[in-house]
Amino acid sequence: MAEGAAEALLAEAQSIAEHHLLELAARLRREVSGQLGEALQYALGTSGKRIRPALVLASYRAAGGQAAAIARLAVAVEVIHTYSLVHDDLPCMDDDARRRGRPTTHVTFDVATATRVGYLLVPVAVEVLCEAADELRLPGSIRQAVARTLLAASGIRGMVGGQWLDLDAEGRALEAAELTAIHARKTGALIEAACVVGGLAAGASPVLLAGLAGFGREIGLAFQVADDVLDATATTAQLGKTAGRDASLGKSTYVRFLGVDRARAEAIRLADAAVRSLDQAGIVDPALPSLARYIVNRQS
């Protein structure tokens, strides 16, 4: 595993994503008048770690892709993620006042505006995805597979369904299998999709796609376990969002099941399983294993 591969990739993903997102935000501000346009620009203008775009880039390259136009596909995934954060913070969801070190969209504007921002970002993501497919000159069958993968992961069978189940579970003690099923959809589905669409765009074989999907599935759960640990141990300043929200909302978490130390060990176990998926598929690339270690060892 090359030291610093994750840091270099994340720096690249941050640079790419923030350039394209700011460009997109400025365009939407021109096209959408009034407070709604301002709120769209605000939501897209929030900085972040850009792990999902980094996974798209790394998976694409691990499968042999070389075109610079993959950047726009990575941005489409990040727009979906941005929509999910705007809605996740709403009072009817996790009711959080801070995200990525600044007030959330509904606090800066209002609940109705933030709700509309989230809904509007879904077709915006599809538009960006179509632009990416054109730039990459993807065949029709691959375009369909990329769109199907990303939209299924972000919809009722993935992220939206997981959020629904997560809300329904507040205040209830869950079995470990129930908790894993929720987070495989709420958090893991979009992370897995980021890996798969990168492979699809590169024309990966079924074996390589299975390896990338397995990596994404395991690392998606590892990401959530690490998040649970951070929510219980880090400060609001470190996280850029309100620390301790899981406990205050009565959520079942991996920390609640396992304790901090065993949860950390579980995150590492999942990261190891993710890397084994790559090995079994014959994927030799330093960036993805390095990203797996970053995800479970991060401090925010």
Side-chain angles (χ1 to χ4, degrees):
M1 185 186 307
E3 291 297 326
E7 289 80 0
L9 181 63
L10 285 166
E12 180 188 5
Q14 287 166 353
S15 176
I16 286 170
E18 291 178 17
H19 169 76
H20 285 284
L21 288 171
L22 289 174
E23 192 176 70
L24 178 62
R27 190 186 87 197
L28 289 172
R29 181 68 186 90
R30 291 191 300 271
E31 293 175 355
V32 182
S33 61
Q35 180 172 273
L36 183 58
E38 293 177 22
L40 282 162
Q41 186 175 38
Y42 183 86
L44 289 170
T46 304
S47 62
K49 292 182 288 293
R50 312 304 186 193
I51 288 173
R52 290 154 191 82
L55 287 167
V56 175
L57 297 177
S59 297
Y60 177 73
R61 292 165 184 167
Q66 298 180 344
I70 190 61
R72 198 170 291 276
L73 183 56
V75 169
V77 175
E78 188 67 5
V79 173
I80 290 286
H81 180 52
T82 300
Y83 132 68
S84 76
L85 298 182
V86 172
H87 275 191
D88 196 48
D89 292 330
L90 289 170
C92 63
M93 301 282 190
D94 285 354
D95 192 14
D96 213 329
R98 295 194 69 76
R99 172 70 68 176
R100 292 173 168 174
R102 66 176 186 168
T104 49
T105 305
H106 76 271
V107 169
T108 302
F109 297 92
D110 55 58
V111 171
T113 299
T115 303
R116 291 183 70 194
V117 164
Y119 288 138
L120 286 170
L121 286 177
V122 178
V124 168
V126 173
E127 183 179 353
V128 175
L129 187 155
C130 292
E131 292 168 354
D134 286 344
E135 290 182 26
L136 289 164
R137 299 181 180 178
L138 299 182
S141 60
I142 299 299
R143 291 173 186 243
Q144 291 176 17
V146 167
R148 189 181 303 115
T149 298
L150 183 56
L151 294 175
S154 58
I156 193 66
R157 286 177 288 171
M159 188 173 66
V160 171
Q163 177 69 12
W164 180 280
L165 293 172
D166 188 50
L167 288 170
D168 185 58
E170 285 183 6
R172 293 195 293 113
L174 301 180
E175 298 294 329
E178 291 180 279
L179 182 64
T180 297
I182 288 171
H183 290 303
R185 293 168 73 174
K186 181 183 175 183
T187 303
L190 190 60
I191 288 176
E192 179 180 345
C195 298
V196 172
V197 299
L200 285 168
S205 68
V207 171
L208 291 185
L209 281 176
L212 291 170
F215 173 85
R217 193 175 309 120
E218 299 289 354
I219 209 59
L221 282 175
F223 184 99
Q224 183 60 53
V225 178
D227 243 24
D228 287 356
V229 170
L230 286 168
D231 187 74
T233 61
T235 66
T236 296
Q238 286 174 307
L239 295 177
K241 60 182 180 179
T242 308
R245 288 297 288 164
D246 291 341
S248 67
L249 292 169
K251 288 182 181 288
S252 290
T253 68
Y254 289 97
V255 168
R256 185 172 172 182
F257 273 110
L258 302 172
V260 169
D261 289 342
R262 288 177 62 202
R264 284 191 177 120
E266 176 64 5
I268 292 169
R269 185 193 72 77
L270 289 164
D272 289 341
V275 174
R276 283 197 299 275
S277 290
L278 300 177
D279 292 341
Q280 290 164 4
I283 299 171
V284 181
D285 182 89
L288 287 168
S290 186
L291 270 175
R293 302 304 169 201
Y294 167 84
I295 284 168
V296 298
N297 292 319
R298 61 199 164 89
Q299 300 300 307
S300 65

